[in-house]
Amino acid sequence: MSPAAASVNGGGGEMSEKVKSPVDLKKSNVPPIAHPTPDDAFGVAANIQYHVQYGPHFSPFKFEPEQAFYATAESVRDTLIQRWNDTYAHFHKTDPKQTYYISMEYLQGRALTNAIGNLNLTDAYGSALMKLGHDLETIVDQERDAALGNGGLGRLASCFLDSMATLSLPAWGYGLRYKYGLFSQRITKKGQEEYAEDWLQKFSPWEIVRHDVVHPVRFFGEVQSQEDGSRRWIGGETVQALAYDIPIPGYQTKNTISLRVWDARVPAQEFDLYAFNAGDYAKAESLHAKASQICAVLYPGDATEEGKLLRLKQQYFMCSASLQDIIARFKERRPSKGPIDWSEFPNKVAVQMNDTHPTLSAPELMRILMDDEGLGWDEAWAITNKTVAYTNHTVLPEALEKWSQTVMAKLLPRHMEIITEIDKQFQAFVTKTRPDLESKIESMRVLDNNPQKPVVRMAHLCVLSSHKVNGVAELHSDILKKDLFADFYSLWPDKFQNKTNGVTPRRWLRFCSPELSTIITKWLRTDKWVTNLDLLAGLRQFADDKQLHKEWAAAKLQNKVRFAHYLEEKTGVKINPNSMFDTQIKRIHEYKRQLMNILGVVYRYKKMKEMSPEERKKVVPRVVMLAGKAFATYEQAKRIVKLVTDVGAVVNNDPGIGDLLKVVFIPNYNVTVAELAIPASELSQHISTAGMEASGTSNMKFALNGCLIIGTLDGANVEIREEIGEENFFLFGARADDVPRLRKEREAGQFKPDPRFEEAKHFIRSGAFGDYDYEPLLDSLEGNSGYGRGDYFLVGYDFPSYIDCQKEVDEAYKDQDRWVKMSILSTAGSGKFSSDRTIAQYAREIWNIQECRVP
Ligand SMILES: *Cc1c(COP(=O)(O)O)cnc(C)c1O
């Protein structure tokens, strides 16, 4: 075997343990052989060699970890392409009804471990790389996360693709190919700083460009009446949507489906050669520049009119390209002779809109059916309604999208006509069928004609256009029916459903914690739990077994040690793996209440400082870790990040405290960080104001990995607690039903703050953590009402019960037997939270699609 490659710096700037001499490929004795579907170590090594020597990307004489990663990924890709082709051919031949999942976000993370794991080739790839002088772990670490998403909604879409493939369902994902995705976060003395996330820096080995799949997408222009009375949208600007496919392999199935992401291009004839040669380069390339803005970043700032226009452009670009593609495939699979039977369309196509960003799919389908295919309104509307369905992800009023009617009419004049007609027909329908709802019509309409700011309510457009509307956890779906969409619910009770979210057990247990997985498989005597997560319940019978306790704790410790290394390397903070690992990792948002967590830490720290040495001996050592990105323009969230890092800087350097308390902000939260942090965590915090977190999915990942939860009765916490048993869940805080009353009481000046809450705020104000101006943050917790004041998120109300609950956590941790038992029972009770279960329910209850397995 040849020596491993020389590379001081890995992809992420990690230091390798020792500097090794370069790999001499000739000495490895592995010949380059192109073989798309190798299944043993030798075949894999030869195929990797082939990509090293004949791949167009690197000089063939170097074989450092980075080149090795690309060659390895290309070798895996060969197999995936083979399977992708087989899957596509099978779908084409059998022509099943197919689901198209449209989402603005996909948080895919890294693909290599998942792909070779799903292909059952992990061992073959491990040995092949050894033959070539590398170790799999180092190679895996070279990959950059595909960060085409922001948070839970995007990760859900990615978990869903994994489950659709694994269940061999005929399904496809559609999205956008952002050049920079969501920003990359760095933490400095000033707090969070944002940088462009250059995930395509060299290139992504996983995407396959489809030069033959291009659709034109129009913006602006005008609408003309034709002689036959039909309408035609003409003029304006046209860009091209070019398809890139990312293969999504299923686990233990040959089915490999596709995530198709669109990039915006303009054809060469739009390049103004005359202007260019005349030296007017900006003019020559103006259309190119505009096109490249469309897929530059996820969620561009929308404070300006230009920013708003760009966001709407992105949404329409995604919807139009995807719908044209879906229709092209539908036509391709029809007999070539005779007219197309459009009534067949909803029997072949299901479109799922992930939140309101893809809402324009509905009017776009209407436009194509009427203007291009010549259908009448009623027929087009019936088809659209049977085809599309909508998942709601939030009840936060500021997150419910509303677009200015002026902007919509300018950018998409034909769609504005269609939306106006939908709005008009809806009013007529209610007046005719439900006169009792007459007084509600204005608030239910799609168009809000408020003279100051006339807008289109996208969520209402979704509800009207869809045959099914679902929430993402039971509590959330109830709130939709009782509150947000109550009037629509009374109109169409059968339209509303619940689909409690889930996560893929492959990525979130089998591959991210191989240690724990091995133990589970050993005790259950089967690895079938990976595709049938309910089998985890079988662990309950061993919950008191001392041998299992020993193995379980050892696996957890191994994960903790690995994560401690990572943390030290990223932040310089050394943590003791024997402390309790307590994490809160999620987008930074006031409703998620990271502020309550850090106020709790401040209170804990102050109390510890006041303790005698004797008392300190009884303290359970804790490492409190937070991670998450604050949206670039969300100042309050950025102040929270700053406070966490300032508290950490003081606490971590207090010699009197030592290992008893550490506070660490983990920079640049993404899927890879989650895959390391979650298996290592023992306590995780899901402490949103009740009624505000639609579901949460990281709570499911943590519970699955045997991490206990401290949380409120919110989102999926409710169901997790039911499944794992209330004695295994640390519950505190106000209930969703009480929140409106508590807010009213607060406004009426009836709130009496707990002295501990006052003490924590006072300690920060005293300058204990530096002189940064925390006043806007602390002030938001004061007063009884007003913009940015009055503690809308009820931190003050919940704080005392939170502190008490944290005391219970410490007591439980002191009894390690009890703690490990609770940990085992958390995993054992997590079966329901597999995205396989969620997707099977969507397939049956919304999409009406069946398994279509490649033989
Ligand atoms: C699971 C996941 C989320 C969602 O976390 P919540 O705590 O449910 O909001 C966000 N980001 C990443 C990277 C994730 O893996």
Side-chain angles (χ1 to χ4, degrees):
M1 205 186 300
S2 42
S7 170
V8 180
N9 285 303
E14 297 88 352
M15 305 289 278
S16 68
E17 309 236 311
K18 39 186 174 320
V19 180
K20 301 166 190 160
S21 54
V23 172
D24 185 342
L25 275 175
K26 287 198 203 80
K27 279 201 211 136
S28 72
N29 287 328
V30 177
I33 303 172
H35 182 348
T37 53
D39 57 6
D40 62 359
F42 179 81
V44 167
N47 197 46
I48 294 175
Q49 269 283 38
Y50 172 80
H51 283 284
V52 174
Q53 296 209 12
Y54 298 102
H57 304 298
F58 294 100
S59 90
F61 306 111
K62 277 200 206 153
F63 192 53
E64 293 181 359
E66 188 180 34
Q67 287 93 323
F69 162 70
Y70 281 102
T72 304
E74 283 165 7
S75 156
V76 177
R77 190 180 67 194
D78 290 345
T79 307
L80 298 183
I81 289 179
Q82 179 64 54
R83 289 181 178 220
W84 193 91
N85 289 342
D86 293 347
T87 307
Y88 192 84
H90 185 63
F91 288 176
H92 195 77
K93 196 177 84 203
T94 48
D95 190 25
K97 181 172 182 182
Q98 195 166 325
T99 292
Y100 299 93
Y101 196 84
I102 307 187
S103 177
M104 206 67 185
E105 298 185 29
Y106 291 89
L107 210 48
Q108 290 283 96
R110 288 175 174 165
L112 182 55
T113 304
N114 188 68
I116 58 178
N118 278 9
L119 293 171
N120 204 8
L121 288 174
T122 307
D123 291 343
Y125 269 87
S127 331
L129 283 164
M130 293 257 276
K131 282 186 204 300
L132 298 169
H134 285 291
D135 67 283
L136 182 57
E137 214 171 305
T138 311
I139 298 313
V140 160
D141 261 344
Q142 303 300 309
E143 184 173 357
R144 301 177 82 100
D145 271 45
L148 308 184
N150 177 23
L153 175 149
R155 186 51 233 174
L156 183 78
S158 294
C159 281
F160 278 5
L161 292 179
D162 183 81
S163 286
M164 291 173 195
T166 298
L167 296 176
S168 300
L169 290 171
W172 233 241
Y174 279 113
L176 290 183
R177 181 179 179 268
Y178 306 104
K179 188 168 177 206
Y180 298 122
L182 192 71
F183 66 88
S184 153
Q185 176 195 57
R186 280 184 226 165
I187 301 296
T188 69
K189 288 211 161 56
K190 284 186 261 168
Q192 166 179 302
E193 292 183 12
E194 301 98 35
Y195 292 85
E197 166 62 65
D198 201 6
W199 74 289
L200 290 171
Q201 189 190 39
K202 295 217 164 60
F203 61 97
S204 164
W206 304 112
E207 52 175 25
I208 300 150
V209 55
R210 304 284 181 197
H211 291 289
D212 52 338
V213 181
V214 176
H215 301 288
V217 177
R218 188 188 307 275
F219 301 113
F220 306 109
E222 60 196 318
V223 185
Q224 270 187 350
S225 280
Q226 306 295 108
E227 277 159 24
D228 60 0
S230 67
R231 308 282 286 164
R232 190 118 310 163
W233 182 22
I234 55 161
E237 295 168 3
T238 304
V239 298
Q240 291 182 340
L242 171 64
Y244 284 77
D245 284 340
I246 300 170
I248 311 288
Y251 180 83
Q252 288 179 355
T253 167
K254 280 192 186 147
N255 282 50
T256 296
I257 60 172
S258 181
L259 166 57
R260 178 160 283 184
V261 288
W262 301 105
D263 195 11
R265 298 282 170 95
V266 287
Q269 64 262 28
E270 300 289 348
F271 183 81
D272 189 341
L273 201 52
Y274 286 96
F276 193 86
N277 284 332
D280 192 347
Y281 307 125
K283 181 169 179 233
E285 291 196 279
S286 69
L287 259 181
H288 283 264
K290 274 193 205 161
S292 67
Q293 287 159 10
I294 295 174
C295 294
V297 296
L298 170 66
Y299 302 140
D302 61 352
T304 63
E305 283 307 307
E306 287 80 8
K308 290 194 179 74
L309 188 71
L310 181 57
R311 281 211 192 182
L312 190 59
K313 262 188 165 178
Q314 289 186 320
Q315 295 188 355
Y316 178 63
F317 180 74
M318 172 175 75
C319 295
S320 177
S322 305
L323 261 300
Q324 291 183 62
D325 206 47
I326 292 166
I327 287 171
R329 191 167 304 113
F330 172 74
K331 286 182 168 175
E332 199 181 295
R333 290 183 186 171
R334 294 308 98 210
S336 54
K337 294 203 175 58
I340 296 169
D341 178 6
W342 285 100
S343 69
E344 265 298 293
F345 191 75
N347 300 330
K348 294 296 177 189
V349 175
V351 170
Q352 188 68 33
M353 304 189 288
N354 194 25
D355 215 334
T356 54
H357 318 121
T359 309
L360 289 166
S361 302
E364 175 67 355
L365 181 54
M366 290 291 289
R367 182 191 69 80
I368 297 173
L369 291 176
M370 292 190 301
D371 300 359
D372 296 349
E373 304 296 342
L375 272 56
W377 177 277
D378 291 342
E379 201 184 349
W381 180 247
I383 290 170
T384 300
N385 193 252
K386 282 185 204 154
T387 302
V388 305
Y390 157 55
T391 304
N392 173 280
H393 284 271
T394 180
V395 294
L396 294 189
E398 69 271 22
L400 288 169
E401 286 193 290
K402 294 187 173 100
W403 290 107
S404 144
Q405 291 181 21
T406 328
V407 173
M408 183 79 77
K410 187 168 127 198
L411 186 70
L412 305 168
R414 179 62 180 130
H415 298 80
M416 193 61 209
E417 284 185 357
I418 293 170
I419 292 167
T420 307
E421 183 62 24
I422 293 173
D423 180 64
K424 199 175 119 199
Q425 298 213 358
F426 171 71
Q427 293 175 69
F429 170 78
V430 176
T431 310
K432 194 169 134 214
T433 60
R434 286 289 300 274
D436 59 308
L437 282 177
E438 192 82 50
S439 65
K440 300 282 175 63
I441 289 185
E442 272 313 308
S443 63
M444 293 171 82
R445 288 179 57 184
V446 175
L447 297 184
D448 175 351
N449 289 333
N450 166 343
Q452 263 83 50
K453 205 171 161 257
V455 293
V456 182
R457 297 171 176 137
M458 300 306 261
H460 293 200
L461 182 52
C462 278
V463 173
L464 296 196
S465 312
S466 300
H467 63 102
K468 291 289 182 297
V469 175
N470 73 283
V472 289
E474 278 166 17
L475 177 71
H476 168 63
S477 297
D478 286 344
I479 292 174
L480 293 186
K481 291 184 209 167
K482 277 199 298 214
D483 192 10
L484 190 65
F485 297 141
D487 298 327
F488 293 112
Y489 178 61
S490 91
L491 196 54
W492 298 303
D494 295 339
K495 198 182 262 211
F496 291 82
Q497 292 194 355
N498 173 246
K499 293 284 165 283
T500 299
N501 283 165
V503 299
T504 166
R506 271 72 66 190
R507 183 178 293 265
W508 295 113
L509 181 54
R510 177 63 192 84
F511 304 143
C512 75
S513 187
E515 299 80 4
L516 209 56
S517 298
T518 304
I519 293 167
I520 293 169
T521 299
K522 179 183 146 191
W523 285 79
L524 294 180
R525 297 167 180 268
T526 172
D527 65 358
K528 290 214 161 61
W529 58 269
V530 180
T531 45
N532 180 4
L533 206 60
D534 288 330
L535 294 178
L536 290 180
L539 290 171
R540 286 200 182 111
Q541 58 183 306
F542 310 119
D544 288 308
D545 191 299
K546 290 286 160 283
Q547 179 59 28
L548 175 59
H549 277 219
K550 214 173 110 199
E551 293 174 21
W552 197 268
K556 272 274 160 196
L557 184 63
Q558 221 178 325
N559 291 339
K560 287 169 77 177
V561 169
R562 179 170 51 205
F563 189 55
H565 283 304
Y566 174 86
L567 264 193
E568 188 175 351
E569 188 187 292
K570 292 290 174 189
T571 67
V573 183
K574 237 190 166 65
I575 59 173
N576 181 351
N578 293 312
S579 323
M580 181 203 302
F581 280 19
D582 163 350
T583 47
Q584 187 181 20
I585 53 180
K586 45 184 81 232
R587 284 180 301 119
I588 311 290
H589 201 291
E590 286 166 284
Y591 87 78
K592 292 179 182 270
R593 299 201 293 192
Q594 283 93 353
L595 185 52
M596 185 157 75
N597 182 352
I598 198 67
L599 280 175
V601 169
V602 165
Y603 181 76
R604 171 179 290 263
Y605 174 59
K606 184 157 184 290
K607 292 296 121 184
M608 276 166 65
K609 285 190 79 70
E610 291 163 7
M611 282 176 191
S612 68
E614 275 312 303
E615 284 174 308
R616 272 191 205 167
K617 283 199 186 121
K618 288 190 226 130
V619 170
V620 176
R622 254 203 219 218
V623 184
V624 180
M625 295 172 271
L626 290 95
K629 292 176 183 174
F631 194 71
T633 52
Y634 188 178
E635 290 302 329
Q636 207 69 315
K638 288 175 136 179
R639 288 186 191 105
I640 294 173
V641 175
K642 172 72 176 143
L643 177 58
V644 173
T645 55
D646 284 356
V647 170
V650 171
V651 172
N652 299 342
N653 294 303
D654 187 331
I657 298 299
D659 276 351
L660 291 184
L661 183 62
K662 293 280 181 225
V663 182
V664 191
F665 192 90
I666 313 157
N668 202 35
Y669 181 48
N670 61 18
V671 172
T672 296
V673 172
E675 285 167 345
L676 280 165
I678 291 170
S681 299
E682 293 166 293
L683 179 75
S684 74
Q685 307 207 25
H686 305 275
I687 58 178
S688 49
T689 316
M692 301 195 81
E693 185 75 273
S695 162
T697 48
S698 80
N699 43 5
M700 301 169 182
K701 301 168 196 163
F702 281 106
L704 182 60
N705 279 274
C707 170
L708 303 189
I709 292 176
I710 180 169
T712 46
L713 261 195
D714 200 16
N717 283 359
V718 179
E719 290 157 77
I720 293 175
R721 182 165 167 269
E722 263 167 36
E723 293 292 314
I724 69 178
E726 55 185 69
E727 66 285 4
N728 300 311
F729 188 106
F730 297 102
L731 180 74
F732 74 95
R735 309 295 139 105
D737 286 343
D738 298 326
V739 165
R741 176 179 55 82
L742 291 169
R743 284 191 180 134
K744 275 205 193 92
E745 286 175 9
R746 173 103 194 198
E747 277 178 35
Q750 290 160 356
F751 171 67
K752 297 220 172 27
D754 187 276
R756 292 170 284 182
F757 180 55
E758 299 302 290
E759 198 177 337
K761 286 182 293 173
H762 184 75
F763 196 41
I764 298 172
R765 285 187 168 119
S766 75
F769 305 103
D771 53 9
Y772 177 81
D773 182 15
Y774 296 114
E775 210 37 55
L777 205 52
L778 298 173
D779 196 47
S780 74
L781 306 174
E782 312 286 3
N784 296 322
S785 62
Y787 183 75
R789 300 194 85 224
D791 194 15
Y792 185 74
F793 303 99
L794 301 180
V795 176
Y797 181 85
D798 278 349
F799 193 73
S801 62
Y802 175 64
I803 296 294
D804 291 342
C805 193
Q806 286 285 17
K807 265 202 207 118
E808 285 173 42
V809 170
D810 285 323
E811 286 313 309
Y813 197 78
K814 283 181 187 163
D815 180 355
Q816 275 295 304
D817 271 344
R818 175 175 165 212
W819 189 274
V820 174
K821 178 177 178 181
M822 291 168 83
S823 169
I824 294 167
L825 290 173
S826 284
T827 302
S830 293
K832 175 175 173 186
F833 305 103
S834 167
S835 48
D836 297 345
R837 186 267 311 149
T838 315
I839 283 300
Q841 290 178 331
Y842 274 95
R844 217 172 30 241
E845 296 159 18
I846 298 183
W847 302 333
N848 192 21
I849 61 168
Q850 265 88 43
E851 180 184 292
C852 184
R853 203 179 167 94
V854 176

